[in-house]
Amino acid sequence: MTAFPLVDLAPLTTSRESDALLPVYKRAPMELVRGSGCVLFDADGRSYLDFVSGIAVNALGYDDPGVRAAMMKAMESGMLHVSNLYHTAPGARLARALVDRSFASMAFFCNSGAEANEGAFKFARRWARTLGGPEKHEIVALRGSFHGRLFASLAATDRPAYRAPFRPLAGGVTIAERSLDELDSLLDPETVAAVILEPVQGEGGVRVLDNALLQGIRELTRSRQIALIFDEIQCGLGRTGRLFAYERTGVTPDLLTLAKPLAGGLPMGAVLLGSQIAETIQAGDHATTFGGGPFVASIALHVVERLADPTLLGRVRAEGAWLGSQLDRMVGRGGAVRAARGVGYMWGIDVVEPAANVVARAREAGLLVCTAGDYTIRLLPPLIAGRPELERGLAILGDVLAS
Ligand code: PLP
């Protein structure tokens, strides 16, 4: 055994212990020390019902026995990482598990959502170049989008405050209105390589895109040989009550990106590729040191199997519909809630006061929720939450909104 100390999990005692962290996050004034199921505990012993799930990451909640067992099992090989210079079984099996359940023929693994989208952009451009040469490289994203904070994903993200300090952003990326007329005139087959969209926009206010809009975009992109990328980083892997959000739209994308819940809280992203695009990708076109390493892929394999379980998905659909009906009733009562939008376990409610105030009061009352814009509260319960947890969360939220 090592003579060096293991990590000290005791709560922080002085501000000096945390003031070396770059202050890019507005953190809530509490320190979390433990999680179990749908509940988190802070250093003062207070408990919180968690309807944030680590921003749609902790689909299986906290301290899940299956995830714990998968981690112990994965450790038996002694290999956390070996690089992609060699074959390892877990990544290959994970790719097979995702491909067999989707439209895709191949998968690429990376380490975050933004990275997955950057990878998808590269794959789309690679494919488009084989069809139309270097001119066919433009990426089009939609109003209200959030695709990440790296340069190309930021250029595809419709948040002026996130973009302005970092100009010039990556070129060749345009944001279009969510309108078929505008897209029809913008999608020039000679210059556009791909359209990227979130079937349910998350950060942009929890907006479920109309199936008719998605079908129209699919027709435009297919007829003009433009790749359609679905960013399912937040809405994928069970959150809508289907393993993949595209399954409820009647539209099949050419590329699909995943991250957040994929590896049960460990960092992992993925790009799923349809066969036409996958066939144009060659060795050396893209790479990342950690992508799909044996440890993280082993955990993801367990998580994907769990999230693909029809019983879990059926419950998310049924309970999610009930949750939506209760939120609609809040809207109907008038007052604090203006509108509710969402699907499955992904809901946004527009409130009349700054959403950050509601988030703070909910936290005080023992419920964690987050925002999706200045006046929208976002609810992302763990997918293991049942009716009792949803009822409790709604009761707290109702009291908080009435106070
Ligand atoms: N795409 C969507 C839809 C997201 O919600 C997010 C993160 O919130 C990202 C991309 C970026 O993911 P990451 O923070 O892992 O880079």
Side-chain angles (χ1 to χ4, degrees):
M1 268 296 274
T2 175
F4 292 101
L6 298 174
V7 66
D8 183 0
L9 290 177
L12 298 166
T13 48
T14 64
S15 65
R16 194 177 182 284
E17 282 189 285
S18 61
D19 65 11
L21 271 173
L22 196 69
V24 288
Y25 303 105
K26 271 192 217 148
R27 293 179 202 267
M30 94 259 225
E31 183 191 337
L32 296 171
V33 294
R34 193 165 70 79
S36 174
C38 299
V39 178
L40 281 164
F41 299 87
D42 74 8
D44 297 326
R46 298 187 54 187
S47 65
Y48 303 87
L49 179 61
D50 180 17
F51 277 18
V52 176
S53 304
I55 320 184
V57 169
N58 301 318
L60 298 174
Y62 297 93
D63 201 21
D64 177 80
V67 171
R68 195 182 265 260
M71 290 170 70
M72 301 307 287
K73 177 81 184 156
M75 286 304 298
E76 285 175 13
S77 73
M79 299 188 299
L80 290 175
H81 169 81
V82 292
S83 90
N84 285 305
L85 297 175
Y86 314 102
H87 290 282
T88 48
R93 293 199 171 116
L94 176 63
R96 175 53 54 207
L98 290 166
V99 159
D100 282 352
R101 290 181 166 89
S102 72
F103 72 93
S105 75
M106 289 195 172
F108 170 83
F109 297 119
C110 54
N111 314 289
S112 70
E115 260 187 71
N117 286 335
E118 302 265 338
F121 293 162
K122 285 183 69 180
F123 299 145
R125 279 192 175 171
R126 188 79 173 95
W127 165 80
R129 181 179 274 252
T130 63
L131 294 175
E135 290 304 305
K136 192 169 167 64
H137 64 260
E138 290 281 331
I139 312 256
V140 175
L142 296 189
R143 182 71 64 218
S145 62
F146 182 92
H147 296 298
R149 307 275 202 137
L150 302 179
F151 272 105
S153 48
L154 185 57
T157 288
D158 182 29
R159 282 292 195 98
Y162 295 172
R163 299 158 60 98
F166 305 104
R167 289 182 185 286
L169 304 179
V173 185
T174 310
I175 294 187
E177 298 303 326
R178 296 183 299 262
S179 131
L180 279 180
D181 284 345
E182 170 155 338
L183 288 164
D184 188 17
S185 61
L186 206 71
L187 296 183
D188 178 353
E190 304 288 317
T191 58
V192 178
V195 171
I196 182 165
L197 60 85
E198 302 156 76
V200 185
Q201 293 186 330
E203 308 286 319
V206 189
R207 204 172 298 280
V208 186
L209 297 192
D210 256 11
N211 283 351
L213 175 67
L214 295 175
Q215 282 154 12
I217 294 176
R218 180 67 282 186
E219 277 160 32
L220 286 175
T221 50
R222 183 168 287 131
S223 63
R224 298 175 193 189
Q225 294 198 295
I226 292 169
L228 181 56
I229 308 171
F230 273 16
D231 173 343
E232 296 204 8
I233 287 161
Q234 188 164 150
C235 64
L237 293 175
R239 191 146 288 279
T240 65
R242 304 279 173 198
L243 183 60
F244 299 105
Y246 79 85
E247 294 173 58
R248 55 179 298 286
T249 67
V251 168
T252 305
D254 303 302
L255 292 157
L256 184 147
T257 52
L258 297 170
K260 290 187 181 282
L262 179 56
L266 296 173
M268 186 178 217
V271 186
L272 305 188
L273 302 86
S275 59
Q276 284 193 357
I277 297 184
E279 277 159 18
T280 64
I281 309 298
Q282 290 162 20
D285 278 346
H286 197 42
T288 175
T289 297
F290 292 112
F295 185 73
V296 75
S298 301
I299 315 313
L301 198 47
H302 174 78
V303 170
V304 168
E305 301 287 344
R306 294 271 301 278
L307 297 181
D309 174 17
T311 308
L312 177 136
L313 293 171
R315 208 186 51 230
V316 170
R317 286 198 298 278
E319 295 302 317
W322 179 81
L323 175 61
S325 70
Q326 300 303 302
L327 294 172
D328 282 344
R329 283 175 57 180
M330 280 189 187
V331 178
R333 284 198 287 270
V337 183
R338 281 206 185 120
R341 292 178 300 275
V343 59
Y345 276 19
M346 183 171 182
W347 285 86
I349 54 176
D350 292 345
V351 288
V352 293
E353 61 180 311
N357 296 353
V358 179
V359 169
R361 291 210 304 282
R363 188 176 64 241
E364 285 301 307
L367 174 70
L368 300 183
V369 293
C370 59
T371 62
D374 293 342
Y375 288 89
T376 304
I377 306 292
R378 191 168 18 151
L379 308 181
L380 298 164
L383 304 189
I384 55 163
R387 181 70 64 91
E389 286 82 17
L390 297 182
E391 275 175 346
R392 193 143 54 89
L394 280 170
I396 299 175
L397 193 62
D399 288 349
V400 162
L401 287 167
S403 64

